[in-house]
């Protein structure tokens, strides 16, 4: 008979796989759905240090308002099952082409300069659409009946913080899972080249540095785990890899369009997730090496990541 611990390990492996996909898609961020404050913050932090988060949520400057400039683009993107982002692999080709055409039109505006220093970058953003390979792979389905749920990216440019929060739903109600990639952002130097050689001529580029990858199992078979089963990894950047970065190619009060370092497209809508970002103190505690399960090297592929998280070998052995 398979033990609960074994099943839990397999479920955590699924969550770890999601976290790896998110960190390799360094241009964007998967986030948590509308979970309770306890599930989202206390579960992650109290499980290692016994504290309760009190950080205020990053203000959403114009939550639930829609800028008319990008209204057509947002209207093209349909709602997907489980609240997951739409992708080029889950939408009809004609609709994908319509979305890309509208994005190109918005990106072509001469006003789309110096976006990395805009005062409307900060806030909570929900991912609506992407053609990034990692997001596409997640949207197609996961092991054990799991599906990608709502994904969010809160940003705070005043303190240089970002989080990539993701949730997983299960059609069998097997478990509740969450993952969070925590890192720092800064305005990139003008004129720098990204991974595919695109020059930062418009001052729209943001450099990204990953600090912690956290994945957590909160509930299994309807039973809340107290404390939750969780794992954290400390990312290390391969010195030979390009600086992780993304370009904000369109921005208004309700919509943000991002191009990743590989040119992948990410479309965000400003939307408050209802979950506060980790404070600077909480981030520091989460990143403590003695609390971490190991290191994950960013930029060198899944094999080295499996070395840091051995249980992934079960899920990834045929990949």
């Amino acid at each position: 008979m398979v033990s609960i611990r074994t099943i839990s390990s397999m479920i955590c492996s699924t969550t770890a796989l999601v976290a790896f996909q998110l960190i390799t898609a360094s241009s964007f961020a998967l986030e948590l759905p509308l979970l309770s404050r306890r599930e989202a913050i206390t579960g992650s932090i109290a499980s290692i240090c016994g504290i309760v988060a009190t950080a205020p949520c990053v203000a959403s400057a114009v939550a639930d308002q829609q800028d008319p400039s990008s209204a057509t683009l947002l209207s093209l993107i349909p709602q997907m099952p489980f609240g997951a982002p739409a992708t080029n692999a889950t939408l009809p080709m004609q609709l994908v082409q319509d979305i890309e055409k509208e994005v190109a039109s918005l990106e072509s505006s001469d006003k789309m300069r110096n976006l990395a220093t805009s005062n409307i970058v900060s806030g909570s953003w929900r991912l609506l659409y992407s053609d990034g390979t990692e997001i596409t792979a997640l949207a197609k389905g996961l092991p054990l009946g799991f599906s990608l749920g709502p994904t969010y990216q809160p940003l705070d440019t005043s303190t240089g913080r970002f989080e990539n929060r993701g949730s997983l739903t299960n059609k069998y109600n097997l478990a509740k899972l969450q993952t969070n990639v925590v890192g720092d952002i800064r305005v990139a130097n003008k004129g720098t080249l990204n991974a595919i050689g695109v020059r930062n001529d418009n001052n729209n580029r943001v450099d990204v540095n990953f600090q912690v990858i956290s994945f957590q199992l909160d509930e299994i078979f309807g039973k809340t785990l107290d404390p939750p089963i969780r794992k954290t990894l400390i990312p290390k950047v391969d010195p030979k890899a390009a600086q992780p970065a993304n370009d904000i190619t369109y921005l208004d009060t309700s919509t943000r369009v991002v191009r990743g370092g590989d040119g992948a497209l990410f479309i965000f809508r400003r939307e408050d997730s209802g979950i506060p970002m980790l404070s600077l103190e909480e981030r520091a505690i989460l990143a403590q090496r003695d609390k971490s399960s190991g290191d994950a090297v960013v930029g060198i592929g899944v094999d080295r990541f499996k070395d840091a998280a051995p249980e992934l070998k079960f899920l990834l052995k045929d990949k």
Side-chain angles (χ1 to χ4, degrees), residues 159-180:
T159 57
R161 294 179 296 159
F162 87 92
E163 295 179 20
N164 284 359
R165 293 177 174 174
S167 65
L168 295 180
T169 61
N170 186 269
K171 63 182 180 180
Y172 307 117
N173 197 30
L174 181 63
K176 289 185 178 180
L177 301 154
Q178 56 180 277
T179 185
N180 194 6

Side-chain angles (χ1 to χ4, degrees), residues 244-289:
N246 61 73
D247 293 340
I248 305 171
T249 56
Y250 177 82
L251 180 67
D252 64 32
T253 55
S254 61
T255 305
R256 179 167 61 103
V257 176
V258 171
R259 295 284 182 175
D262 60 355
L265 172 63
F266 302 88
I267 302 173
F268 294 89
R269 179 182 66 205
R270 189 184 295 277
E271 181 179 312
D272 192 349
S273 68
I275 299 170
M277 292 185 74
L278 300 178
S279 70
L280 295 175
E281 294 77 12
E282 291 161 352
R283 285 160 55 99
I285 292 172
L286 193 64
Q288 287 180 2
R289 186 165 296 275

Side-chain angles (χ1 to χ4, degrees), residues 222-234:
K223 179 178 176 59
T224 299
L225 301 180
D226 187 17
I229 297 174
R230 65 189 309 276
K231 187 181 186 77
T232 59
L233 295 176
I234 307 299

